[in-house]
Amino acid sequence: MTNASESAQFCTVGGVMTLDQAVEWREQLRAAGKRLVFTNGCFDLVHAGHVRYLQQARDLGDALVVALNDDASVRELKGAGRPLNDQDDRAEVMAALRAVDGVVVFSGQRATSVIDALQPDVYAKGGDYTVDSLNPEERAALENAGAEIQILSLVPGRSTSSTVKKMRDSESNGAKRKLRIGVLASGSGSNMQAIHDAIVAGELDAEIVAVISDVKDARVHQRAKDAGYESVYVDPGPYKTKLGEAAQKEIADRLKAAGVDLVCLAGFMRMVKPPLLDAFEGRMVNIHPSLLPAFKGLHAWKQAVEAGATESGCTVHYVDAGMDTGSIIDQESVPVLADDTAESLHARIQEKEHILYPRAIRSIADKLLGE
Ligand code: GAR
């Protein structure tokens, strides 16, 4: 393997370059029998974890090109507050690193077009990914290019989200800060609304910092917009009741980028499993429309009517790997009336949900902020 200064002997360009320049350079590398390593990312707040990861990537070949998300695509991926540093600055910092030979800024959320153009020999990605959680489009482009995919281990404790957290903690300087909530919802979003209303009314010392839905046209998007939040749709992948690996990764990344302390499932109709669950272990709660452990699963209000129950209600519980099995935080009960339909019972349960959810969050907020 050569280092960056040796590689300069067989290339005419380096540093920040256009895609056309990178393609020309790539041809020179190929002609010289050199292996091109490629990686991509936002690299908004560069830390030692990035530096070590990029060095490991560089060591896999003879030259390393980093494709850097432009500002618009970082905003789409990480939310309105990012990037903190604009693309010119980020590119300059990247290009100054010893491990990096070339930097190309690209638009759009996927680096597919850069992969297609550069046809890298090796593709490196950080260890918070697995081969399965790579974006399917990017993975297909890499397979098409015949690139070897290398997942590199991350440096524990060095991440952009831990840097952001340290900054927030030091800024608050011991003062009590607000609980940062991320909401996952698939439907109408009345529970997200109830959390928002409790915050506005001063009953819950928290802020909603992320709203994510697996349903493109769910009403929760409009409710979020009306309340002043940006909501995003994440493609859940090909399954009916679970989330694909790429979707889990994207949701976890978005929640981490927003600095979420607590994830609230509010009518989120998919099972949350590791690795998304692992990323927020003990910090993910769900509201379920029954008095758990009774009537787990879908349409719990319908199950209650059909079973002839005389009482039902709602439960807020921690999320674990089972279906509605996590430990219970709080509950509210309602009567089931003789003439109830599934719909009338659900409406009565929802009234209680809107009181219960903010109350349950309030009861665990101090513990979560103390962690
Ligand atoms: C709520 O009743 C919630 O308890 C239920 O979906 C509804 C969502 O309403 N959740 C489940 O059944 C989860 N298994 P919303 O979108 O108006 O908040």
Side-chain angles (χ1 to χ4, degrees):
M1 305 290 166
T2 54
N3 62 30
S5 63
E6 283 168 45
S7 71
Q9 294 165 5
F10 55 81
C11 57
T12 53
V13 279
V16 185
M17 51 181 106
T18 64
L19 185 56
D20 284 349
Q21 287 170 325
V23 169
E24 200 186 315
W25 180 47
R26 200 278 174 269
E27 289 312 315
Q28 294 173 31
L29 289 171
R30 202 193 303 274
K34 305 292 178 186
R35 270 160 75 81
L36 176 71
V37 186
F38 175 81
T39 191
N40 60 295
C42 302
F43 298 101
D44 190 12
L45 285 174
V46 177
H47 49 76
H50 286 137
V51 174
R52 290 182 214 172
Y53 157 77
L54 290 167
Q55 188 59 58
Q56 277 187 66
R58 176 64 174 74
D59 289 343
L60 296 169
D62 301 299
L64 172 65
V65 166
V66 177
L68 198 67
N69 288 84
D70 72 358
D71 291 345
S73 63
V74 178
R75 260 192 304 281
E76 279 166 35
L77 287 166
K78 309 263 182 197
R82 303 283 295 277
L84 299 172
N85 294 300
D86 70 26
Q87 63 196 50
D88 291 345
D89 281 17
R90 289 183 287 120
E92 191 179 331
V93 171
M94 270 292 109
L97 295 178
R98 198 176 49 201
V100 176
D101 299 278
V103 179
V104 177
V105 178
F106 72 100
S107 59
Q109 291 191 18
R110 312 285 167 225
T112 323
S113 56
V114 190
I115 296 167
D116 285 342
L118 286 184
Q119 303 274 300
D121 299 294
V122 184
Y123 178 72
K125 202 73 189 162
D128 52 342
Y129 282 84
T130 61
V131 172
D132 285 335
S133 70
L134 291 177
N135 173 263
E137 222 182 74
E138 286 177 352
R139 188 172 158 188
L142 290 165
E143 279 164 5
N144 192 32
E148 183 186 317
I149 299 176
Q150 289 276 358
I151 305 293
L152 303 179
S153 55
L154 288 181
V155 186
R158 306 298 208 297
S159 69
T160 303
S161 42
S162 70
T163 306
V164 170
K165 185 172 182 314
K166 276 190 247 170
M167 283 163 62
R168 280 204 187 102
D169 290 352
S170 79
E171 233 170 50
S172 65
N173 211 6
K176 196 171 170 235
R177 63 177 183 86
K178 289 181 195 303
L179 184 78
R180 296 172 69 83
I181 294 175
V183 175
L184 302 190
S186 307
S188 121
S190 71
N191 278 289
M192 181 218 68
Q193 182 81 52
I195 297 168
H196 168 73
D197 292 345
I199 292 171
V200 171
E203 291 158 7
L204 181 61
D205 196 17
E207 52 189 329
I208 295 178
V209 294
V211 180
I212 299 175
S213 180
D214 59 323
V215 179
K216 212 176 211 159
D217 57 359
R219 187 165 163 221
V220 68
H221 293 292
Q222 188 58 47
R223 283 193 197 262
K225 198 170 169 209
D226 294 345
Y229 307 124
E230 192 190 353
S231 65
V232 291
Y233 160 70
V234 172
D235 183 343
Y239 311 103
K240 249 186 151 172
T241 56
K242 60 177 196 173
L243 285 166
E245 291 253 356
Q248 291 197 48
K249 169 89 182 76
E250 186 177 344
I251 293 174
D253 282 352
R254 285 182 179 278
L255 294 170
K256 285 188 217 159
V260 163
D261 299 305
L262 176 69
V263 183
C264 293
L265 307 188
F268 189 64
M269 295 307 183
R270 286 176 191 269
M271 293 281 287
V272 176
K273 298 270 185 190
L276 174 56
L277 182 58
D278 291 346
F280 288 91
E281 208 190 338
R283 294 189 291 133
M284 187 180 285
V285 295
N286 178 43
I287 187 152
H288 183 76
S290 76
L291 289 176
L292 287 173
F295 309 125
K296 295 175 180 146
L298 287 180
H299 310 303
W301 55 87
K302 192 160 169 245
Q303 294 182 48
V305 170
E306 283 170 0
T310 53
E311 190 186 39
S312 190
C314 43
T315 304
V316 174
H317 62 95
Y318 286 104
V319 177
D320 67 10
M323 189 172 63
D324 305 321
T325 51
S327 64
I328 292 173
I329 299 166
D330 203 352
Q331 294 184 306
E332 274 286 338
S333 59
V334 300
V336 183
L337 306 180
D339 60 351
D340 258 335
T341 60
E343 290 70 31
S344 64
L345 176 60
H346 189 206
R348 193 173 312 115
I349 291 174
Q350 283 225 290
E351 280 178 29
K352 291 285 186 179
E353 287 187 334
H354 301 157
I355 299 165
L356 176 69
Y357 216 169
R359 187 177 82 204
I361 296 168
R362 201 165 47 235
S363 74
I364 58 172
D366 283 349
K367 191 180 99 188
L368 289 163
L369 287 172
E371 274 172 7

